[in-house]
Amino acid sequence: MEPTSGEKRQVLYHAVSSYQLLEAVLHRLRFHPGDPAVLLLPDFIAEKYPKYRRLAERGFFQEVRLFPYLRVPHRSEEEVFAEAVRACRKALPCSLGDFSRVYVAGAHFYFTLCLIQAGIPFTFFEDAAGMLTRAGELEANLARRYPLHAAIAAKYGLFDGSCPLAREIVCLKSAQRGPLPLHCTDFSVELALEELSPRLRKKLVRLFLPHPLCSRAEAILLTQHLANLGAATWEGQRRLYQRLAQGPLKGVRLLVKPHPDDGMDYREIFPKARVLRQVFPAELLPYAFLVGPRVVYTLDSTSCENLKRHFIIIQLGRDHHGP
């Protein structure tokens, strides 16, 4: 692959979630196809994607490194800064200043503090499609579980991209629910996938999903990890989906696609449904099936913002939410 223009420049991407990982791959393919690229992932992603090294083996990045988030303490801001900087030095193959561009998804995680301390500008990616203008929700969810982490991220403008070092903000503009900063760049994962060559797109899909799916279900249910976010208890999340199973989803032949971070067992709640065990970004669903449904049910999944060109999206009413 040839660089977009000029000589090759080493770039760095940081991603935390499944969506961000896919977005980083697509952004790199479009804007830096010929430039050496390093991907920095959290150490806890190895449980979800144990074969993450294939991202480098198959040429999507030159190197994939892990940031040891699980080892960073949460006792004080000073200690977090010091430990994050120390971890960054060990995780990266070179110093931060050696990268010509730094792209940060999951900016509220501690890696961004290393950029702040070094005074290095970066491109800020919204946390998920539409979340730039819902940054308050992201902060509230994190504060319920990790109050110090949320306080640090809010102090430095790492939820909404207001950090002075965030020179560019990348978001899906059509998914936003309010006014946007002037320095926003539109990026659609759905369109980026469509624009790939069939061969390259298949190579990317197979990275996450080695074999195509086949289903005679009427619809797909995208779940949300409400308990992990602190938005509900585990029992509350269970009751919520039980009410859906007995209400609007009763009698629907379902294929259940759990959120990659959702650990709930849905086989008991939807005994007649097939529950997908494969972990992959929902944005790949249009290319995951040999034969499959074209209707998606969701409560409020941000993934649906990047599925609208391929599926009928049915948002389940808020009245089904419960404690």
Side-chain angles (χ1 to χ4, degrees):
M1 297 182 288
E2 295 298 322
T4 51
S5 64
E7 62 183 57
K8 294 182 178 181
R9 306 162 298 163
Q10 185 170 220
V11 297
L12 174 64
Y13 284 86
H14 172 274
V16 175
S17 69
S18 296
Y19 169 76
Q20 294 166 11
L21 173 55
L22 177 61
E23 185 178 34
V25 172
L26 292 168
H27 189 276
R28 191 263 167 145
L29 288 173
R30 175 181 289 184
F31 295 102
H32 297 282
D35 296 329
V38 176
L39 175 64
L40 190 59
L41 296 174
D43 48 1
F44 52 81
I45 207 169
E47 181 179 353
K48 188 163 45 179
Y49 295 115
K51 298 179 180 179
Y52 67 89
R53 291 184 179 87
R54 289 185 179 177
L55 287 158
E57 293 168 0
R58 299 187 182 180
F60 290 104
F61 293 91
Q62 272 59 54
E63 292 189 65
V64 180
R65 299 294 187 98
L66 297 183
F67 192 100
Y69 281 110
L70 295 175
R71 300 180 185 178
V72 178
H74 294 263
R75 289 186 287 264
S76 70
E77 180 179 328
E78 294 76 13
E79 187 176 31
V80 167
F81 258 96
E83 291 298 325
V85 169
R86 186 177 297 113
C88 186
R89 288 176 183 150
K90 292 181 179 180
L92 292 178
C94 58
S95 68
L96 282 170
D98 290 337
F99 294 99
S100 64
R101 296 291 300 269
V102 180
Y103 298 97
V104 185
H108 58 287
F109 278 76
Y110 292 148
F111 164 71
T112 319
L113 301 182
C114 306
L115 298 173
I116 291 172
Q117 185 173 82
I120 295 175
F122 62 95
T123 295
F124 175 102
F125 284 74
E126 65 174 333
D127 193 68
M131 291 304 295
L132 181 63
T133 51
R134 297 166 59 189
E137 295 177 33
L138 184 62
E139 180 181 352
N141 286 336
L142 186 63
R144 279 191 285 267
R145 297 171 295 152
Y146 303 106
L148 176 63
H149 186 168
I152 294 172
K155 177 180 178 179
Y156 293 100
L158 301 180
F159 289 114
D160 61 0
S162 60
C163 176
L165 289 171
R167 304 295 170 82
E168 177 189 23
I169 295 176
V170 175
C171 69
L172 180 60
K173 290 186 176 181
S174 64
Q176 307 306 320
R177 299 180 181 178
L180 295 173
L182 294 177
H183 55 305
C184 276
T185 300
D186 191 29
F187 187 78
S188 165
V189 164
E190 187 171 26
L191 288 176
L193 281 166
E194 286 183 19
E195 291 167 2
L196 293 180
S197 69
R199 182 177 180 180
L200 183 55
R201 185 169 56 233
K202 182 178 180 180
K203 179 181 178 182
L204 175 57
V205 173
R206 293 294 170 261
L207 184 70
F208 293 93
L209 201 60
H211 305 289
L213 303 174
C214 186
S215 173
R216 297 191 180 279
E218 297 175 51
I220 301 168
L221 172 64
L222 296 183
T223 78
Q224 290 171 257
H225 56 311
L226 302 173
N228 283 341
L229 289 174
T233 63
W234 278 103
E235 185 55 34
Q237 180 174 329
R238 184 184 303 278
R239 288 199 301 269
L240 167 61
Y241 281 101
Q242 285 174 338
R243 285 197 291 273
L244 294 176
Q246 296 162 6
L249 298 179
K250 185 176 182 179
V252 179
R253 294 198 313 274
L254 280 178
L255 179 67
V256 180
K257 164 75 171 71
H259 186 282
D261 296 324
D262 187 356
M264 185 160 290
D265 186 352
Y266 288 93
R267 292 173 295 181
E268 179 183 344
I269 301 173
F270 300 99
K272 295 183 179 180
R274 177 186 174 188
V275 179
L276 289 176
R277 297 178 181 274
Q278 298 93 330
V279 178
F280 62 95
E283 292 78 8
L284 294 179
L285 282 169
Y287 311 101
F289 294 93
L290 289 175
V291 177
R294 283 289 173 252
V295 175
V296 168
Y297 284 96
T298 178
L299 287 170
D300 192 22
S301 173
T302 56
S303 296
C304 290
E305 298 293 345
N306 280 291
L307 294 174
K308 292 181 176 180
R309 292 168 58 87
H310 294 85
F311 291 91
I312 298 169
I313 309 296
I314 300 177
Q315 188 163 346
L316 298 163
R318 292 286 185 175
D319 56 322
H320 296 289
H321 279 273

